[in-house]
Amino acid sequence: MRIERISLKTLTVSILIVLGLVSILLLFVTTLFFREAALKSQSQSLSRVMDVAAHEVVKQLHTQVFNLGSSFQGRTEFRAAFERFRQNGDATSLQRVLDDPIVNGFVGTITVDLVKLRLYDPDLKLIAQSQAGLQGMVPQLAPMLLNQAAGRNGAERLKAVGGVWISLNEPLYSVLVPVGGLKLMGYLEVVANPTFNLASVEAMTRMPLTVLDASGKVLHRSENWPSDREVKILDVEYLLRTGDGRVAYRLMGMADVTQLNADMARSGVIGVLAFISLIGASVLIGLWFFNRFIFKPISNMQSEMERSAQGDLSATVGQQTLKEFHALAAAFNTMVRKVDSNIQELQRLSSVDGLTGLNNRRHFDLSLKAEWLRALRESQELSLLMLDIDYFKQYNDTYGHLGGDDCLRAVSTLMQEVVQRPGDVVSRYGGEEFAILLPNTSSQGAQFLAFKMAAELARQNLPHFSSPLGGRLSLSIGCATCRPSPDCREESLVAAADKALYQAKAMGRNRVIVAEEMEDVAINKGAE
Amino acid sequence: MVAIRVFLLMFLFSWTWPAAADKPVAPVNVPGATSVSAERLIELAASTSQLLIIDSRRREEFDKGHIEGAVNLLDTDMTQSALSRLAPKPDTPLLFYCNGERCLRSSNAAKLALDWGYQKVYWFRGGWKEWSDKNLPVAK
């Protein structure tokens, strides 16, 4: 498409609409990002909640396991069996005592899934373990616990240590409880299955829970775990690690984000609607503004410029618009004024005779035509005087051409002084000939003027030594008057006046001759 | 100015007010007795086979948990004859503890034992609070 065909209005509206659409698109994309961020943040928060809950559960588990171990190691039959084992190596009763809580349970085992009891000497060497419970465990203390417990001195050796560790891919929780009170006999490792306790994370976080081990095997799954994954659900994950940093459990939760999604969707829709309204309002206000201050002024400027182009230089372009267009209009107006004044000057120059300042022949012809038509229209008389300076060639020869010019100017001044009506047209007809057009003037009026002129020249007594007519400057005047009619043309008036002038010259110059009537009046006589 | 004077007077006499009398705090040490920490207590128990640990708290507190091997003897129940039944010889090393620095029972008991001529008196000022804070073995 060519640029000249696109209007400012179309361009502006297009730009506004494109901007609006881009904004809406951006808002839409932003809403999507925002939604993602909100879900991510929600997921992180819930994961944190799960973290806190899991730690709380592990802490409780530690306390429970520690209490269990503590009370177990203080039991008289355990102490007695241990003492017997230490003295004579008889492990039968010790074995029975270690198996008992796993087989029969006791009060401490209600809240803990006890899987093994193992007994170590003060140097942490395994000396006995329950036959019952978890099978296949490596017969030594877990390295993670060994790191914590070994190499301690004094009172430190009497402190219990514990933590999550992994035995044969199965996460376990052990607490190593010192046996023997103030006189250390050995250590009792109480091993529990934390999965049993981790299930309570669900109640704490109020989220359906699945507990998996590091390999992804499901160890526990909540009854509330939704089978229908169509529900808008946010997955929450938390990794519970062992004391040495290995992943022991993957805890997976679920949060119903239907409400969140609905809220997001609603705020998205509200946002888009608000934006659309805003853009609509902006477009309307923008259009009004552009219309008021740009489009309309430009349209006005255009029509006014066209008027000027068609020749009406009086037209002015309105300047009530924005700065740039105001400057444009002002420049255009200045240009039009300048052109107008130049044209007027040119017109003036084209109608004026340079030497005398009188109207020139061209202007005379135009005036004659116009006045002829007017006289015809208004059926008025039109008179014409044709004047010639007598013996002007001799004057030039005597006084030089500059003197001749002065003479022409003097006669012109005289004529302008005598002819006082604004409508009368005094013109230099050519050389030393002059023509005076007298609209709405009778023959008598014209003659009066002719005589007055001749008399005034005589009174001024301008010297002309080479003139045979008494050494003074004199005029021959042909005078013609007519009432124009449609079958007669203006040239006939000129011809009549010219003929009368010719007659005046032929009759000896320095006289006024009236055409048709051929009145020959001696100038001298008339002047005197 | 009046307000400041009143405040200063209140401050000066504040010690006389019952509310200002805070909960009792055990003395920093008992003259004649050796103060020990939990760690020192354990070392002492290992090195001194004759050491008699006396829990000066109430029975029900003792039953909830105590240092293994300790005997329960409330300070107000502790008479010279009752103590001499547990420790007939005055050179028997005795160690007293109660709930901790908020508790005056063990310091009172230690002073009594010193008055009665016992020569090796130890006092575990941190008491049960320090013991359980340090996750040391508990007997029930």
Side-chain angles (χ1 to χ4, degrees):
Chain A
M1 184 178 272
R2 292 174 61 187
I3 190 77
E4 307 90 88
R5 293 194 182 168
I6 304 170
S7 74
L8 193 57
K9 204 172 200 166
T10 314
L11 189 68
T12 311
V13 171
S14 309
I15 288 173
L16 285 176
I17 287 174
V18 166
L19 274 179
L21 290 176
V22 168
S23 308
I24 289 172
L25 193 71
L26 277 178
L27 180 74
F28 189 68
V29 172
T30 312
T31 309
L32 286 182
F33 274 116
F34 181 62
R35 184 177 170 277
E36 283 299 308
L39 285 176
K40 196 175 172 192
S41 159
Q42 176 89 339
S43 173
Q44 278 172 350
S45 305
L46 291 173
S47 179
R48 192 85 192 123
V49 167
M50 205 177 248
D51 173 8
V52 171
H55 270 100
E56 186 56 33
V57 165
V58 169
K59 202 173 144 193
Q60 282 175 13
L61 178 65
H62 180 90
T63 310
Q64 285 160 351
V65 172
F66 170 75
N67 287 342
L68 197 151
S70 229
S71 73
F72 183 84
Q73 65 85 28
R75 284 173 145 193
T76 330
E77 67 261 37
F78 170 72
R79 285 284 177 91
F82 195 8
E83 198 55 48
R84 210 170 301 135
F85 173 77
R86 294 217 300 178
Q87 279 167 12
N88 55 26
D90 176 12
T92 44
S93 58
L94 185 61
Q95 194 68 62
R96 188 174 40 76
V97 171
L98 286 174
D99 281 337
D100 182 61
I102 295 167
V103 176
N104 301 313
F106 69 106
V107 73
T109 58
I110 294 171
T111 52
V112 171
D113 180 16
L114 183 67
V115 295
K116 202 83 174 173
L117 285 174
R118 304 203 287 184
L119 193 61
Y120 302 86
D121 69 7
D123 298 325
L124 299 165
K125 287 221 168 58
L126 185 69
I127 49 179
Q129 62 178 338
S130 60
Q131 295 290 321
L134 193 66
Q135 300 303 312
M137 290 171 75
V138 179
Q140 64 182 45
L141 187 61
M144 194 273 294
L145 289 170
L146 196 62
N147 282 343
Q148 290 185 59
R152 298 184 300 173
N153 294 313
E156 286 297 310
R157 300 181 73 199
L158 296 186
K159 291 180 183 175
V161 294
V164 180
W165 59 289
I166 294 172
S167 162
L168 305 171
N169 295 327
E170 187 168 356
L172 295 170
Y173 195 89
S174 283
V175 178
L176 201 62
V177 184
V179 177
L182 300 187
K183 295 186 178 73
L184 188 66
M185 296 165 72
Y187 292 96
L188 177 72
E189 184 192 8
V190 185
V191 188
N193 178 10
T195 312
F196 176 74
N197 302 71
L198 282 173
S200 64
V201 167
E202 178 172 352
M204 293 168 84
T205 58
R206 295 183 185 139
M207 277 191 286
L209 182 76
T210 291
V211 181
L212 304 105
D213 67 9
S215 66
K217 192 174 87 184
V218 176
L219 302 175
H220 165 81
R221 173 155 280 174
S222 155
E223 287 171 10
N224 299 328
W225 192 261
S227 51
D228 179 16
R229 295 291 301 200
E230 292 300 304
V231 189
K232 295 290 176 203
I233 274 172
L234 180 69
D235 292 325
V236 183
E237 193 183 53
Y238 169 68
L239 299 175
L240 181 65
R241 294 173 187 277
T242 64
D244 50 4
R246 291 167 65 194
V247 173
Y249 285 106
R250 262 176 71 208
L251 273 68
M252 286 178 64
M254 280 185 178
D256 187 350
V257 286
T258 320
Q259 184 61 42
L260 183 70
N261 276 333
D263 287 348
M264 300 289 267
R266 199 173 58 233
S267 50
V269 168
I270 289 171
V272 168
L273 284 180
F275 238 72
I276 288 174
S277 318
L278 196 67
I279 288 155
S282 313
V283 167
L284 287 180
I285 292 171
L287 277 184
W288 176 83
F289 183 82
F290 282 119
N291 213 35
R292 169 76 181 73
F293 294 108
I294 298 178
F295 304 146
K296 263 208 187 123
I298 286 180
S299 169
N300 289 344
M301 276 166 74
Q302 188 193 352
S303 61
E304 281 155 358
M305 281 176 181
E306 277 167 1
R307 257 174 67 200
S308 301
Q310 281 160 12
D312 180 4
L313 297 181
S314 67
T316 309
V317 173
Q319 300 180 11
Q320 288 282 330
T321 176
L322 296 183
K323 190 178 167 189
E324 288 80 4
F325 297 112
H326 173 84
L328 198 64
F332 182 79
N333 285 340
T334 309
M335 186 191 80
V336 170
R337 293 291 86 77
K338 190 83 181 167
V339 167
D340 193 23
S341 83
N342 282 351
I343 286 174
Q344 280 175 15
E345 178 66 11
L346 284 173
Q347 276 175 347
R348 198 184 64 76
L349 288 175
S350 70
S351 63
V352 168
D353 176 61
L355 179 64
T356 59
L358 297 177
N359 296 307
N360 62 13
R361 171 70 185 272
R362 186 177 157 274
H363 186 259
F364 170 78
D365 290 342
L366 292 172
S367 299
L368 174 63
K369 200 168 275 179
E371 290 302 335
W372 181 269
L373 289 172
R374 180 155 59 185
L376 181 67
R377 199 165 59 239
E378 295 172 3
S379 68
Q380 288 172 348
E381 288 179 305
L382 184 64
S383 294
L384 175 65
L385 302 182
M386 296 285 278
L387 305 93
D388 192 290
I389 298 170
D390 295 335
Y391 299 111
F392 186 69
K393 188 179 177 306
Q394 283 83 346
Y395 192 96
N396 264 344
D397 294 342
T398 309
Y399 297 100
H401 280 96
L402 290 175
D405 290 349
D406 287 341
C407 172
L408 288 170
R409 273 195 284 269
V411 171
S412 302
T413 309
L414 179 128
M415 285 192 295
Q416 279 173 318
E417 282 168 2
V418 172
V419 179
Q420 288 179 340
R421 291 192 309 181
D424 297 339
V425 182
V426 180
S427 313
R428 186 179 175 198
Y429 196 72
E432 71 276 25
E433 273 187 40
F434 299 91
I436 300 174
L437 190 62
L438 303 162
N440 197 13
T441 305
S442 64
S443 183
Q444 287 76 22
Q447 285 172 48
F448 171 74
L449 209 63
F451 282 119
K452 191 179 175 188
M453 215 167 289
E456 183 62 23
L457 186 63
R459 196 186 62 78
Q460 285 189 2
N461 199 15
L462 297 170
H464 184 0
F465 292 124
S466 44
S467 168
L469 299 170
R472 292 185 303 169
L473 204 59
S474 60
L475 288 168
S476 297
I477 303 175
C479 182
T481 301
C482 82
R483 197 178 290 275
S485 65
D487 36 69
C488 144
R489 295 188 60 195
E490 64 270 21
E491 283 88 349
S492 59
L493 181 65
V494 177
D498 205 29
K499 193 177 169 191
L501 175 63
Y502 180 74
Q503 283 176 354
K505 283 184 184 172
M507 288 170 76
R509 298 185 170 86
N510 191 22
R511 68 195 65 223
V512 176
I513 297 296
V514 178
E516 291 174 18
E517 290 154 52
M518 293 294 171
E519 281 182 20
D520 181 10
V521 180
I523 282 175
N524 287 340
K525 210 194 282 178
E528 284 157 9
Chain B
M1 283 305 286
V2 174
I4 293 173
R5 278 183 203 160
V6 168
F7 180 80
L8 282 172
L9 278 173
M10 284 166 71
F11 179 76
L12 276 173
F13 291 99
S14 63
W15 62 275
T16 60
W17 296 356
D22 217 3
K23 284 183 180 173
V25 176
V28 176
N29 53 50
V30 175
T34 310
S35 293
V36 295
S37 64
E39 289 77 11
R40 181 77 190 109
L41 189 158
I42 290 162
E43 286 169 17
L44 211 58
S47 60
T48 319
S49 55
Q50 297 293 312
L51 181 71
L52 179 64
I53 302 175
I54 298 171
D55 188 325
S56 304
R57 300 177 299 162
R58 296 176 189 282
R59 182 82 212 174
E60 57 269 29
E61 292 173 302
F62 180 84
D63 287 345
K64 280 183 187 163
H66 55 263
I67 297 172
E68 191 166 330
V71 292
N72 184 221
L73 185 56
L74 191 66
D75 63 330
T76 49
D77 293 348
M78 190 174 86
T79 56
Q80 197 169 4
S81 60
L83 186 59
S84 63
R85 272 200 295 278
L86 293 167
K89 294 179 188 168
D91 62 348
T92 311
L94 300 177
L95 187 145
F96 294 93
Y97 78 91
C98 59
N99 274 324
E101 59 188 33
R102 291 277 183 213
C103 169
L104 300 175
R105 294 185 189 283
S106 55
S107 53
N108 288 338
K111 279 177 203 159
L112 284 174
L114 286 166
D115 288 347
W116 293 333
Y118 286 92
Q119 293 140 18
K120 295 177 182 171
V121 175
Y122 298 94
W123 180 45
F124 177 28
R125 186 173 184 264
W128 188 245
K129 185 173 185 303
E130 183 181 331
W131 192 260
S132 43
D133 282 352
K134 288 179 174 172
N135 284 323
L136 291 164
V138 172
K140 283 180 185 173

